[in-house]
Amino acid sequence: MNPVSGSYRGEKEGVNYELRIDIDESSPGVVVLNVVSGDIVRVDGVFSFQSLTLRKDVADDVYTLSGQTVVYKGTEDNGNTAKFTIRVALGNNGVWAAHVHLEELRQGGHRHKLEYDCVKYSKYFRHVTVDVDYYGDELVLPEFDTHSCPDRPPDLPKRIITPFTPYEDVGVQMTLNRANSTQIEDPDPTNPWTLAELSTAMTFHQNINPNTWNIWVFLASAYRNPRVGGMMFDKKQRKGCAIFLDHVWHKDMKSNNPTLKAKATRKFIHTFVHEVGHVLNLPHPFDQNILNSTSFMNYDWRYNNRNSPGAYFRNFYYKFDDFETKFLRHGRQDFVKPGACSWAKQKRNTAMPADPDTDDRWAKRLQLKITPEKTTYKQMEVVSFVVQLKNVHKSVVYVDTRFDLSTDTVKFFLVSPNGTVVEVDPMEYEIGSTNMKLLFPSGSTEGPDRHSELIRILYGKGGFYFQEIGKYQLKAVYESGQFYVTSNLLEITIHPWTGNAGIPQRFFTEKMGDYITLGGPLESEYKECRALLDSLLASPQNKDWIGVLKVLTSENASKQARQMKLDKSHGKLGITSHDAANNDVLQSTKDTLKRLHASGAPGENMLYEEVTKLRARAYVNLGKVDEAQKEVEQLVYDLQSRKVKPFVIQNILDDWKVIKGEEAKAPKGLQDRVNEIMKWTKEDYNDDDEEDEESGLGHGIFFSAFSPEHQRASSNCVQQIVNVAEDTNDISYTLEYADAMQKTGKYNFLLVHYALNVFITHHPLARRAGLRVSEITESSTMDQSTFAMVEHIGEPQEIWMDYWRNDADFTFHHEHWHLVYRGGGLQEFSGQKHIDRQGELFGYMHRQMLARYNAERQSWGLDVVKAYNYDEIEPLGCDVGEEFHSDPRNSYMKPRPPGKKWEGSYVEQFRNWEFKLKEAIQNGQLTTELFDAVLENRDASDLDYNPRKGFANYWGHAIENTSSTFSNDYGGIHNYGHSIFGSIGQRRPYSSYMNSTATAVRDSIFFRWHTHVETLLDQLLSHDKYKTDLQLGTPSIILSSSDVYISKSNEPPKGFLDWSEKGKIWVNNKFDASTLTTTLGLPEKKFEWGKLRHDGYTYHIRLMRHPEKQYDRRKDLALTMRVFICPTKCVEQRQRWIEIDKFKYVLKRGQQYAVVSRKDTHSTVIRRREGEGAPTDDPEIDVPNILTVDGFCECGWPHNMLLPRGTAGGEDYSILVCVTDNTIDTGDKESIRSKCGSLSYCGARDKRYPDRRMMGYPLATKMMVDGKDVSVSEAARILDNMAMSSFKIQNKDVRFPQPEPEPEPEPEPEPVPDRNAIAWLSNKQVGQGEMSAFRSSKWSGRFRVLIDGDYIKTTNAFADVGYMELRFQGRGKDGEYTLANVTIAERIPNTLNVVDNDVTRPADVTFNKGEKITAVNPWKGVVSDPVKFVVQPGKDYFVTFTLDSPGCYTNGSNPRVSSWLIRDPKGYAQHELNWDDPAVKTDRYLASIYCLEQMKVNDE
């Protein structure tokens, strides 16, 4: 192939001719545009040239191919007119030559005729050389595999590219000039680069010659704005750009993690190609009103904001668009050549921007306002104004707050006095991370409703923008994501300079513009600029406006500024002396600071802040921190007196800490931020919310992870969080984005909580940051007064199990397991549908949960759980308590009412599903091939000698409902059952416990439902063909019942280790059964009813090689130790055995026997935290061929519930040990152990499940030996590798005081009233909190609190009548705490009202022994003097009082007190006698009012 296409060159009479023919494939893969173009360049001098471009889009019939000749005829009308013929022929030397005949050339009113000849010299259309200077050890121009990142188009071709490849694809040859690429030895690499320093470096490292196709790229460390990853910065010449390698986008290019490295490399190539494209004068697509481009020249974040996070790279083909391709190949030479064309030619506007459509719902949410510092300026003054973006919507909005001109987020347009419209074109353009921020509705207490920045316009690529005299109009446009908002139209008048007439001429120069814009560079070339400003500053009338210019030109002087040496060959940098420069900053801004302090003009507050911070940096550089401190304190005082918002003041103080080096400005603790996000709730909804919710779930709907529909709705939300994390590699930003998703109403907030939990569980960025799924950590406030915390005396009741079901660690275990093994799969992370053996593990984990629950029940004398019957009416219902329901996190959860049953249609549907499932299995319709097609991952449990072992996994998937295939055919028995129970008796938006993985186990119906599910699953698994043959793959090991011993001691019993070398047997085989101990104590965490714990224990297992298989002594025996326990009375019931450990042990070669001791803390079923995963005394540590891998650290059974409770007298238990061949269990591959979490319940990250046998082996199915069925005890007796022994579990319930031994009877004394009896259950009704434990309240009004008469009576505090003392405690919001109209009166039974003749018993509340309250310490609060009332035992009383203003009150032990509030404090008097009136809006169970501190009876 010898293509015609390529570049042709010729010369005639001093004129250079360029011709580009693009009619066939110049190189493999290069797209043919069918365009011919050319340049005629007459050189009049080194830097000046004229050019004419001939270009014509070629249709199929315009040119002809005749053998070796191409004839092309055409016309062009593009400002010039030409008629031409081009004849191309292949010469004898094999080189194409072209003869160009211009029949008519019209240019500038002149007509010409011209002929010239050209010879093909390259297959490329353009030729560019690149100099790359760099910091660091080596030049970074990486190669990239386009398939190395999973987020890519599905049809993207796989190939290896470099930063030059995309240009070669469009026919532009990029050649690295290695001889002129220099390593920069930066003496201060941690100091970010400034614009001035980059421009200076450009001057010394690039020969700026407009007649050369040469580009300079600087790979620097970091920019002054850490969000900037790359920029084009070199004044008007546009010959170079910079890329910052320490930016978060690029820093992982040397990572050992292939995924992180690939994403960082992709981002670097995108930034490199993008910035070089600008040097070649390519504009952004959005500047051409192309908003959805996926070319190199678009910002990925801008595309993502318009579409969805991550969408850009999912649709990115590593290409330029058609316009850009044609421009690079065939654009006029003076438009394309670096440095030859101002970018403004590509983006010049001729009209002011149009306002958004009136029906644009996004534009209606924001208001853009520009407010000038003043409306009249003199020539040369900087025009300053505040740009404010305000939320005017009822919901939160999420906006990019980068208002700086260099980011293109906010654009400014001017109408000059002569009517010309100009877009303000800054000196620098930056590509970098967004700076997103939540704007809240006006009046919100959560955060600000607006973002404001001070913007100055003076000079840019278009020169001085306000140089002409007259009136200007200014308009701004904010454009980001879906938002397009225009500002008000601002008019500004420029008056002529009244001083020396020559000053403007000296001022309005390119050098002065550069000096001001670059931040006052220190190079000598700007000496005249500094001198001019200093001379103007000497005149008093110029001090204000020159002071502002001095602020702009003092940026570099307030820090160590680099100064380039002239020796290019060494590439050295030096540091200038900066003391003089900092003193100059202080001197030149002194008068400006003084004026701003005295001014008080709100429009100058931002300038005041900027000047103060600038001076503070200069002071700190000079070691004068105290002087800086004074000026910062003065700024804060002035702004406070001007009523500036508190968050502005706080930001100033935070910045001051950074300036003086006291502390880095760091975000709030990441885990704290997660917890805050998870606590946020949305209380109110409106019609628009439904429309805005993007998942389709809608607002006001309780999200349930059990619902397949909700799982599908969550997928997009999870994907967006993942995409943001991978786009930014910034976990703080990702968390803020997730918070924005819920607060803006983009997604249902409960769905966002779930999606964030999934992200934290599975994404490596979250793991590296140490994030955990938010869980309950607060201390419990329950005590013996809690209704469920009753002594277990008499007939056993279901309520006795509340402590077990409500254990915080247990509820978290269930929630987290369903996050690890997500029903909807993990396609957002790894692309796979489900984790290995997820279906089998679903059945195993829940089966183990039931075994433990039943063991606990039987210890109390309760029956085992009865499976739920579809037809029955459930009599109990469930209410987990006021503490739970008063917490805002649970505001959408309601108790499940008793006496409810399933609707008949549900019953019929579920029975039909069960019938179809059983029928399909019976008829062989559920095959492994069907499941493989759905699950995509072949079941890892298949063993060569029993390939059917995968059935448990398949059926678990079908019953749980993890795929639409299962749902369509066999329903979703498990998940839809949860949904029905969670919805019974509830109305939108509320749900009951069963709808949530976090709360389902609190409900007793959970265990009844799972017994139903387990019964179904066991029926499927109990088929004879699935029996377990216990003799397959048994190791050469012998152990008997005496070889298994469990006790609280770390040491085995005496004689346990004795071995007879002569008899090759253990000497002692009789040991007394030990007793393990558990304790049932008071609740430790919120929402608990008690806490079960156990004393530590160790099991000791003796192993002996089989004497008849001595050949095995010559090799190591790799063994799997499987340990179970069970109540002795249930040992023959397979489902009742509890697996408490499974681990690997190796009996070394030549070793006849061994004793294995292992503590409970090493168990593979419990949740082990990071750092607890490799205890030094773990016998598994020294085992060969075992790999420690990452686990799911928060996943696993709670350690405190590892043992069942037992009984007070000691309950008989059995321990079973089964030893199997580890080489078979692992497939003769390396064994693994996890650093943290539970290996048995949760597996390991990115690994197959570590045991190929069925989960729960050998007790998962019916068992057989020698082809006959055997019971558990028979198997333990028959088989050498199984043994069972006995022990006891004894429990002590310490929740209730134990009765003291009764003393000898003594004569009864005269009755004396109890002087200190508490008159009510204070922790139940009003709470007692510490004086420092305050919480905020928004409530004020008239309150009524109940005093329980029955409890007064039971205290025996008095015989007939007595008095009561109570105290009030709290503090006011602003320092004042005021109570009024305090009364106590007898309650009318079963109402909120009091006896009429008893309501006028007021009492004044005093403090400090009689003083009226006026003000209190806002931090410590106060307690009132005792308030005394006469009461009668057995009667209920109401304390009624008025609280004048909201404040802070102590948080008592039980947040749900028996109190009521009249919402309108002004109208309480007319309703005082009838609080039951429906017209009176009252709130019961206020969670934030704890005014009554304590109460005593008859205390004299």
Side-chain angles (χ1 to χ4, degrees), residues 842 917 955-961 972-975 1013 1016-1017 1020:
F842 162 79
L917 186 62
W955 293 348
H957 275 292
I959 292 176
E960 188 192 3
N961 185 17
I973 294 173
H974 168 264
N975 287 350
V1013 172
L1016 174 62
L1017 187 59
L1020 305 177

Side-chain angles (χ1 to χ4, degrees), residues 301 325 357 386 399-400 414 563 690 693 923 938 966 1116 1140 1176 1195 1454 1486:
W301 60 264
T325 300
D357 295 336
V386 174
V399 296
D400 187 356
L414 296 174
Q563 183 177 21
E690 291 294 330
E693 208 279 333
N923 297 337
R938 184 69 181 176
F966 307 142
D1116 289 349
I1140 61 171
T1176 57
C1195 186
N1454 188 352
L1486 293 173

